[in-house]
Amino acid sequence: MKKLAMLAAVLAFATPAAALAESAPQGPAAGAVKKWFTTDRSLNCYDRQGNDSGCELGLDANVFVKYAPAGDTAVAFATYVNDPTGNAEQFAVAVFRKGPDGWRFVRNVPGLGGKSATNVAFLGDKVGFDTEVWRKNDGHCCPTGRKHWTVSLR
């Protein structure tokens, strides 16, 4: 019985670290992506006091990166809660390029909506992906629609 209680305690402390690792960007552009996500004020993140703040990686954020086949372009997809006192999810996409000095932020992609990019495919100088979108009468938790986006990488 003691072993079971001890295992439960270990798992309780391990879960947040595992969730944080899953939400952190991966791959060669990870440093540039993390910098973008935690410093770009256009993502409209706030701290607990309601002050403008950089976004935080953690349980309320999932940032993943897809790399173009040539390996010189990356696209970061972020689904995150921008206000720690709320629960409204935001969605952002940014383009990064590999240069002689490493990876650099190129631009945010405006005008996108939805949640959780899937089916990401690079098509020449564009990237296509799907997001879940809310239909009329959908609950906040559960969008039932899908939308396909095609975005220029330039």
Side-chain angles (χ1 to χ4, degrees):
M1 196 65 151
K2 280 186 178 182
K3 287 182 182 179
L4 186 57
M6 205 167 181
L7 178 61
V10 167
L11 289 176
F13 286 108
T15 303
L20 180 59
E22 288 177 11
S23 71
Q26 302 293 315
V33 173
K34 182 177 179 182
K35 181 178 178 184
W36 158 74
F37 187 70
T38 59
T39 63
D40 189 333
R41 295 301 199 254
S42 72
L43 297 176
N44 297 318
C45 286
Y46 301 92
D47 64 18
R48 291 199 171 278
Q49 291 72 41
N51 300 312
D52 183 42
S53 171
C55 298
E56 292 185 20
L57 292 168
L59 297 177
D60 291 332
N62 182 23
V63 181
F64 75 95
V65 184
K66 290 290 188 175
Y67 295 89
D72 62 347
T73 303
V75 180
F77 300 91
T79 303
Y80 61 101
V81 175
N82 67 330
D83 181 348
T85 65
N87 66 359
E89 282 188 331
Q90 307 294 316
F91 179 70
V93 176
V95 178
F96 296 81
R97 193 116 37 257
K98 183 178 180 181
D101 297 331
W103 288 88
R104 64 179 176 79
F105 169 79
V106 174
R107 69 183 184 94
N108 286 316
V109 180
L112 301 177
K115 175 179 179 176
S116 304
T118 58
N119 302 319
V120 178
F122 288 89
L123 318 158
D125 65 347
K126 297 180 181 181
V127 63
F129 57 92
D130 297 329
T131 61
E132 299 171 337
V133 292
W134 289 268
R135 292 184 176 161
K136 187 177 180 177
N137 299 323
D138 279 353
H140 177 74
C141 69
C142 312
T144 61
R146 307 257 338 135
K147 181 165 181 165
H148 183 77
W149 303 90
T150 302
V151 171
S152 173
L153 296 172
R154 299 201 183 275

